[in-house]
Amino acid sequence: MLKKSDTNRMGDAYWCVVSGSELWLPGGALPKGCAETLELPAHEAIEIGHYEGLPVMWLCEEWVEQPLPLTSLREALTLPEALFLLASKAVQYGHMRQTMRFCPQCGGRNHLNHNQLAMQCGECRTLHYPRIFPCIIVAVRHQGSILLAQHPRHRNGMYTVIAGFVEVGETLEQCVAREVKEETGIDVTNVRYFGSQPWAFPSSMMMGFLADYAGGTLKPDYSELSDAQWFTVDAMPPVAPVGTIARALIEHTLAEIKKTLREGGGK
């Protein structure tokens, strides 16, 4: 973290000005430049990383005097992955500061500890770090098809893979099987890890898996989903945007299906 004396003479930096899950993205990019030119309060800024040799700074929107147009973090998915992850980090720190105003142990007032990047109680001195909620997200394949679902919040016809929060006392693999069963009625097997993505909406960690259909009849849970279907590679609906782990899971599964079909191993 930069000290105040450092921020007063710092040069160019990337700036993450955040409020909730929104941030300042002029021209669709993170602003880059010196604080004075951008009219930003350098003395409030907190360094959260580096990108291409420049510091990346976090500021809460309320610390900035000028009104700034903010947009959803989703608009930052087109940024280079390393920069998107730093923007996500800033959003999660902002969320921590907004939602951890009081200590859950003693009820005392929390304040931001700049050295630890955590909220610290002014009474019992307990440090409270950003909460991270573990979630699974899984692409399920059945021969030449992929299972995709549509949620009520997806109003543009977009389909995506199954996802859900991990419950206390279950493994990630158990969570995969449970979420797929609860939301679609089918059983899965051969659950294997794919990759992960921090997802600051507001504080999730998405852990991606691949799985194969094991049995059961597809019966969407309409309290959770608007629809769920098996789709083939030549009849795909609109899917999750590029930059999301959902899209990566879908593209990987489709590539595997195409490979199998080329080799004549399935339909």
Side-chain angles (χ1 to χ4, degrees):
M1 188 196 76
L2 296 181
K3 299 178 181 178
K4 285 190 176 183
S5 59
D6 296 326
T7 58
N8 288 335
R9 62 173 182 267
M10 69 180 293
D12 285 353
Y14 287 93
W15 299 88
C16 299
V17 183
V18 306
S19 177
S21 291
E22 296 187 324
L23 72 163
W24 184 33
L25 288 174
L30 277 185
K32 180 176 72 171
C34 69
E36 184 178 6
T37 301
L38 295 170
E39 299 182 60
L40 298 174
H43 63 283
E44 298 280 10
I46 299 172
E47 183 181 316
I48 59 171
H50 284 80
Y51 181 73
E52 294 187 340
L54 293 179
V56 178
M57 310 301 293
W58 161 44
L59 282 169
C60 285
E61 185 262 347
E62 63 190 81
W63 299 338
V64 181
E65 292 187 4
Q66 59 174 314
L68 297 174
L70 303 182
T71 187
S72 171
L73 177 63
R74 285 182 171 84
E75 299 301 316
L77 283 168
T78 56
L79 298 177
E81 182 182 25
L83 206 51
F84 173 76
L85 293 178
L86 286 165
S88 298
K89 181 185 287 190
V91 166
Q92 288 188 274
Y93 281 137
H95 180 73
M96 171 192 72
R97 184 177 173 275
Q98 288 180 329
T99 60
M100 292 181 157
R101 298 182 186 275
F102 296 94
C103 176
Q105 292 196 173
C106 75
R109 180 73 177 184
N110 284 333
H111 302 278
L112 180 64
N113 182 313
H114 286 221
N115 291 319
Q116 294 292 322
L117 280 183
M119 300 299 286
Q120 186 166 30
C121 178
E123 299 294 332
C124 70
R125 308 305 296 168
T126 301
L127 285 167
H128 303 283
Y129 293 91
R131 297 187 183 100
I132 300 175
F133 302 102
C135 302
I136 62 86
I137 183 166
V138 55
V140 181
R141 175 183 171 182
H142 179 34
Q143 297 181 350
S145 300
I146 182 173
L147 176 64
L148 297 176
Q150 189 179 67
H151 295 265
R153 64 180 180 276
H154 295 154
R155 304 188 184 279
N156 59 353
M158 186 189 86
Y159 280 74
T160 189
V161 287
I162 300 297
F165 289 99
V166 180
E167 293 185 351
V168 172
E170 70 179 352
T171 67
L172 298 176
E173 293 80 4
Q174 287 172 335
C175 182
V176 168
R178 175 183 57 78
E179 284 290 343
V180 174
K181 184 71 171 180
E182 288 178 355
E183 295 195 6
T184 69
I186 68 170
D187 298 307
V188 295
T189 188
N190 193 24
V191 177
R192 62 254 188 222
Y193 180 71
F194 174 81
S196 63
Q197 182 181 41
W199 194 241
F201 298 96
S203 301
S204 297
M205 168 57 78
M206 307 300 295
M207 290 165 284
F209 289 84
L210 303 166
D212 297 327
Y213 169 81
T217 302
L218 183 59
K219 295 179 180 179
D221 177 2
Y222 291 110
S223 66
E224 295 281 343
L225 306 175
S226 299
D227 187 30
Q229 296 183 42
W230 294 104
F231 290 93
T232 59
V233 293
D234 56 355
M236 289 289 292
V239 295
V242 173
T244 62
I245 192 170
R247 180 62 171 264
L249 283 163
I250 292 168
E251 290 182 348
H252 176 86
T253 302
L254 294 180
E256 289 296 303
I257 291 172
K258 291 176 182 177
K259 179 182 177 182
T260 302
L261 291 175
R262 284 196 304 271
E263 296 172 351
K267 297 181 178 181

